[in-house]
Amino acid sequence: MKWTAKAQMAQVLSHMPRGRQVHAWMQRHVTKTLPMPEQDFRDRCRIAERHLTSLRQHFGADRLGALTLLEFGAGWDLIVPQVFFGAGVNRQLLFDLHRLCDPPLVRNAAGRLQAAAAGQAISQARPLPAWPGSFDAYLEALGITYNAPADARQTGLAADSIDAVTTSLVLEHVPPDAIASIYREMHRVLRPDGIMCSSIDMSDHFSHSDSTITPWNFLQLPERAWQRVNADLIYQNRLRGFEHLALIADAGFEVLLAEERVNGTRAAFDAVQPAFVAPFNAMSPEQLMPTQVYVVARRAV
Ligand SMILES: C[S@@+](CC[C@H](N)C(=O)[O-])C[C@H]1O[C@@H](n2cnc3c(N)ncnc32)[C@H](O)[C@@H]1O
C-alpha cells in the first residue's frame, strides 16, 4: 500500500470518534495484520528470547522464576509475556496506555507458541497452561497482572519493587518528552541493580508496507510536513539510536549494552541520504543508518 494513502487514512481515523476501535477492526478484517502475520510473530519471539538472554546473563540462568518483571506497551496478543512464562517467569506486571489486549488474539498466540515450541522454533521450559474458563483465569495461571488503560509514566507501584523492565517495539511510538518520563518512572520502580531491556525499531514504519520507500524515508521530510502525515494513531518519533541512549542515561541508568542493526544496504542508504533534512543532515551515516537498537541498562546500586 502506498505510504501516503496509509498516512491519510490514519489521520482520518485519528480524528474520528471511536477511531481506535475502527482501526482495530480494519487490522483484523482489511489489512489482516491481526492476528500477527508469521514474520511479525517470529520477530516478537526473537525479541522475547533476546530479553530472556539478557535476564539470564544479569541475574543467573536459574533465577527467572524468582523475578518480578514489568513490561510496558503490552499490545494485542501478549506474545512476549507468554514466551516469558514458558521460560519459567512466574510474576509479570503489564502496563498499556490502551486496552488493546484481546482474549481471542492471546489464545491464538498461545496456540502458535505451542506449535513453535513443538517444532523447536522457540525454547520452552514448560508448556503454556490449557485455556481455562475465562481470560482472567488464563492471565492468573501465567502469573500476569494486566493493567490497562495504564500509563507507564505513572505506574503507582512502590519504589524498588521490580527486578527487570522489558519493552518491545514501543519506544519508537512514544514522543521524546513522554519517553523521558517513562524512563524516570522505570528508574524509580526498579530495585538497585535491576535492569531495563528495550527493543526499538527506528525504521520508518511506512516502509514495512510500502516497498517503494526505504527505512530512512521519513528523514527526508521537514518537521512540519512530517507532523502532517504522522497521525496520532500510528505515531512514530524519528529518534536515532544515540538519542535513545542519551535519554536512558539522562534518567540515571548505566547503559550495559547497545546493539544496533541495519535493515538495508549501504547503497540504498547512500542513494537517499543527500535528501535528508535538518536535523538529520547534520548527523553521520553511523548515527543515521541503524534501523534497530537493543539496549540493556542498569539502575546503579
Ligand atoms: C506498537 S505497540 C507494541 C505492542 C507489543 N509490545 C508488541 O510488540 O506487539 C505499542 C504499544 O505501546 C503502548 N504505549 C504507548 N505509550 C505508552 C505508555 N505511555 N504507557 C504504556 N503503554 C504505552 C501502546 O498502547 C501500544 O500497545
Side-chain angles (χ1 to χ4, degrees), residues 132-242:
S134 73
F135 181 53
D136 286 349
Y138 184 65
L139 292 184
E140 199 181 327
L142 295 179
I144 287 177
T145 305
Y146 177 66
N147 301 290
D151 194 332
R153 285 175 289 190
Q154 212 170 3
T155 61
L157 297 173
D160 305 353
S161 59
I162 300 293
D163 295 299
V165 171
T166 59
T167 190
S168 317
L169 308 180
V170 172
L171 290 160
E172 66 269 29
H173 298 291
V174 181
D177 55 342
I179 295 180
S181 304
I182 291 176
Y183 285 157
R184 280 195 296 273
E185 176 67 352
M186 295 304 120
H187 192 271
R188 185 187 72 79
V189 301
L190 270 176
R191 69 162 166 85
D193 197 43
I195 56 170
M196 178 172 73
C197 310
S198 315
S199 174
I200 309 171
D201 179 348
M202 303 177 294
S203 65
D204 180 343
H205 284 30
F206 287 120
S207 70
H208 301 180
S209 50
D210 183 346
S211 58
T212 67
I213 58 172
T214 71
W216 306 283
N217 189 63
F218 57 2
L219 306 183
Q220 304 178 27
L221 296 182
E223 185 58 29
R224 292 276 296 276
W226 174 240
Q227 280 174 15
R228 276 198 297 277
V229 291
N230 191 18
D232 285 353
L233 207 54
I234 53 171
Y235 172 88
Q236 307 170 62
N237 62 54
R238 298 188 285 176
L239 295 174
R240 312 321 296 158
F242 74 97

Side-chain angles (χ1 to χ4, degrees), residues 36 44 73-76 95-98 100 150-152 168-170 173-174 182:
M36 299 249 167
R44 264 62 177 195
W76 306 269
F95 286 82
D96 205 308
L97 199 51
H98 303 287
L100 300 182
D151 194 332
S168 317
L169 308 180
V170 172
H173 298 291
V174 181
I182 291 176

Side-chain angles (χ1 to χ4, degrees), residues 42-62:
R42 280 206 219 112
D43 284 347
R44 264 62 177 195
C45 293
R46 186 182 49 77
I47 291 169
E49 297 277 2
R50 186 67 193 84
H51 288 324
L52 286 166
T53 299
S54 304
L55 297 174
R56 289 185 182 110
Q57 277 173 352
H58 191 75
F59 295 104
D62 55 349

